[in-house]
Amino acid sequence: MSKNLYPIKFQPILKDKIWGGQKLKTLLNKNNDLPNAGESWEISDVEGDTSVVNNGELKGSSLKALLETYKSDLIGEKNYKVFGNKFPLLIKFIDAREDLSIQLHPNDELAAKRHNSFGKTEMWYVMQADDDSNLIVGFNQKVTPETYLKHLEKKSLTKILNFDKVKEGDTYFIEVGRVHAIGAGVMLAEIQQTSDITYRVYDWDRVDSEGNERDLHNDLAIDAINFEMKDDFRVDYSKTKNVSNEMVSCPYFTTSYLNIDATIIEKVNTFDSFMIYMCVDGEATITANTYSETLKKGETVLLPAALKSFKISAKNAKLLEVYV
């Protein structure tokens, strides 16, 4: 069954967003005519937005069909026991021309109870940031539910939020229950649980082309915010060349930074998991068995779990390596 598997690319799913821009097209070469392309869903098993293979013999097959056919050969034995025919991660590139809404995501328990969904633990890797761009992550002081609600009512929420000025390479771990927002001028890679559940708490009072404000979810959000979280969202990581430098490791995913400099790296998959590579700069070639796939900046590839060994070659490339 696994003999047909190879490094798999999927057709990106582009999302038009009120806050989106054109960097996905101009910087990452995403072929789209959307006026406000905010997100490129690289690998998705979200209902209604399932990825479709874009290369090789399996071209045209959906991610869901691959799971039903290849099962543990695709995602690993332990992952298949836990997730079955549901791919556990959603992989994106995001371009924020304007500030995103201030938001948060529920944990697994709340998401299952309210939405029959996973929670949404996620991480960000900043690929490009305009001068003075920032992210909102957490609060800038100790906040109680009462204080939070008072600022929410007065539309002064930004006074208690933490703003971080960012640059390329900055990385953040966004746990469920943490208030956050991507700021205008930031383009980033996002790795998250397979979930599209977002609770918006403030959207800068903006309206769409028809004068309508987007829905807010404050009744749901107040029970989902974790007011006791530590300020441990900034990720420090090594940038040693030609090895995998672990960035984030949590129950939902592990992500490492890989800076390849004019060499060929032999990789062995010992994780009983699929492996994903997101190219955040440069260009690399991944070879498994007799199949080679080139990965350019802004592209993503899935290495099925059955591919136990492969090679990555590049003159100069920066990759994010992800597995569960």
Side-chain angles (χ1 to χ4, degrees):
M1 187 75 74
S2 64
K3 65 180 180 180
N4 297 326
L5 291 173
Y6 53 89
I8 299 171
K9 281 183 176 179
F10 296 91
Q11 179 65 38
I13 301 169
L14 277 295
K15 296 286 185 176
D16 197 52
K17 299 288 184 179
I18 193 172
W19 41 261
Q22 289 298 309
K23 289 180 184 177
L24 297 179
K25 183 175 185 178
T26 60
L27 298 184
L28 301 188
N29 297 308
K30 300 295 178 183
N31 185 21
N32 78 90
D33 296 317
L34 299 177
N36 303 297
E39 298 183 350
S40 176
W41 290 20
E42 299 289 296
I43 303 178
S44 168
D45 195 22
V46 173
E47 196 67 35
D49 282 303
T50 300
S51 293
V52 174
V53 178
N54 199 32
N55 70 329
E57 294 180 8
L58 297 170
K59 186 173 181 177
S61 301
S62 70
L63 177 57
K64 193 170 293 294
L66 295 187
L67 271 166
E68 291 172 352
T69 300
Y70 294 102
K71 299 180 170 52
S72 62
D73 281 344
L74 188 75
I75 63 172
E77 291 184 9
K78 69 180 191 314
N79 286 332
Y80 195 75
K81 287 178 181 177
V82 174
F83 300 106
N85 292 330
K86 187 71 177 176
F87 195 77
L89 297 182
L90 173 56
I91 305 296
K92 301 178 182 179
F93 293 113
I94 297 177
D95 168 30
R97 178 177 55 85
E98 298 180 4
D99 296 324
L100 271 68
S101 61
I102 298 169
Q103 58 188 248
L104 65 140
H105 309 297
N107 60 27
D108 284 347
E109 183 180 0
L110 272 179
K113 180 180 178 181
R114 293 173 174 175
H115 313 287
N116 191 31
S117 171
F118 297 131
K120 194 176 175 183
T121 296
E122 61 191 19
M123 67 165 284
W124 297 332
Y125 173 89
V126 177
M127 296 175 65
Q128 186 271 339
D130 297 346
D131 291 343
D132 298 320
S133 295
N134 59 60
L135 301 173
I136 294 174
V137 190
F139 299 109
N140 60 21
Q141 58 190 268
K142 179 66 178 176
V143 173
T144 65
E146 293 75 23
T147 303
Y148 168 83
L149 289 171
K150 183 168 67 175
H151 281 282
L152 191 65
E153 182 180 358
K154 294 182 177 181
K155 295 188 175 181
S156 59
L157 198 58
T158 56
K159 291 183 178 180
I160 60 172
L161 294 175
N162 172 63
F163 289 76
D164 264 19
K165 186 176 177 179
V166 294
K167 63 185 184 305
E168 179 187 345
D170 287 348
T171 300
Y172 289 77
F173 181 47
I174 311 296
E175 294 181 89
V176 290
R178 192 185 296 282
V179 174
H180 62 276
I182 301 171
V186 177
M187 183 179 72
L188 54 77
E190 181 176 88
I191 295 135
Q192 60 163 89
Q193 291 175 266
T194 294
S195 170
D196 199 30
I197 306 300
T198 294
Y199 294 162
R200 286 190 215 103
V201 298
Y202 182 58
D203 197 35
W204 313 102
D205 300 318
R206 64 185 155 200
V207 296
D208 62 20
S209 59
E210 298 180 353
N212 300 313
E213 294 184 355
R214 291 198 295 172
D215 291 338
L216 300 179
H217 314 101
N218 285 302
D219 289 345
L220 294 171
I222 190 63
D223 291 336
I225 298 173
N226 184 345
F227 291 98
E228 303 301 322
M229 300 185 86
K230 298 178 181 178
D231 294 336
D232 55 358
F233 42 77
R234 297 177 193 87
V235 176
D236 293 321
Y237 61 98
S238 172
K239 296 183 180 179
T240 304
K241 291 186 176 182
N242 303 318
V243 297
S244 297
N245 301 278
E246 187 175 290
M247 306 166 89
V248 170
S249 184
C250 69
Y252 307 105
F253 55 81
T254 295
T255 302
S256 298
Y257 174 83
L258 186 54
N259 186 353
I260 306 175
D261 182 14
T263 190
I264 297 175
I265 296 177
E266 302 272 354
K267 299 290 291 186
V268 178
N269 183 350
T270 60
F271 304 117
D272 187 22
S273 171
F274 59 89
M275 297 183 75
I276 291 169
Y277 288 92
M278 304 179 76
C279 186
V280 294
D281 200 15
E283 181 178 315
T285 298
I286 297 179
T287 302
N289 297 327
T290 58
Y291 193 103
S292 291
E293 187 62 59
T294 299
L295 197 59
K296 297 181 180 180
K297 182 178 180 179
E299 293 187 331
T300 303
V301 68
L302 172 69
L303 277 292
L307 300 180
K308 297 302 183 184
S309 62
F310 52 95
K311 297 178 181 179
I312 307 176
S313 59
K315 291 182 178 179
N316 187 15
K318 297 175 182 178
L319 307 176
L320 301 183
E321 176 185 80
V322 186
Y323 61 89
V324 175

